[in-house]
Amino acid sequence: MGLKPGESGKMGKVQIHKSGKTRLVLGESEFNLDPGLNCAFQQDLVHINEKDNEFVNLSSIDGRMICTPRLNFLIEKLETKNAKESPPSSA
């Protein structure tokens, strides 16, 4: 997912479950969203593209949310990828 400065539009999806849990889905990555505490300093939302070595400031943040990667999802994704890439073992 590449972003360019000044680019506008939709980015990802926020899923709201009946239980009240919320999840952010960006491409193939999933994150849990939880309410955060207010703070007395400026915070910004940024996009870091390590491949192209780009850092883009998307917006200042007024409300606070804690966005954490869904580790079980990432581990399962890596295990699936590794299983597909590793050759079958011979006995």
Side-chain angles (χ1 to χ4, degrees):
M1 171 192 313
L3 294 175
K4 297 186 180 14
E7 190 173 332
S8 64
K10 296 180 182 180
M11 186 175 94
K13 292 182 181 181
V14 174
Q15 298 174 335
I16 302 171
H17 299 271
K18 287 181 182 180
S19 65
K21 289 185 179 182
T22 55
R23 181 174 296 156
L24 174 64
V25 180
L26 292 174
E28 296 181 15
S29 301
E30 294 186 7
F31 302 86
N32 291 322
L33 294 175
D34 297 296
L37 300 173
N38 289 331
C39 59
F41 53 88
Q42 175 67 37
Q43 290 183 316
D44 293 314
L45 175 65
V46 298
H47 174 266
I48 300 172
N49 183 342
E50 294 179 21
K51 180 181 169 190
D52 297 329
N53 201 25
E54 293 178 336
F55 179 92
V56 179
N57 185 336
L58 300 174
S59 174
S60 62
I61 298 174
D62 296 326
R64 305 288 184 252
M65 296 291 290
I66 298 171
C67 182
T68 53
R70 293 190 57 228
L71 296 179
N72 289 343
F73 173 78
L74 294 173
I75 291 168
E76 289 172 12
K77 192 171 154 182
L78 283 173
E79 288 173 347
T80 301
K81 180 180 177 185
N82 290 338
K84 288 179 182 178
E85 292 177 354
S86 56
S89 59
S90 57

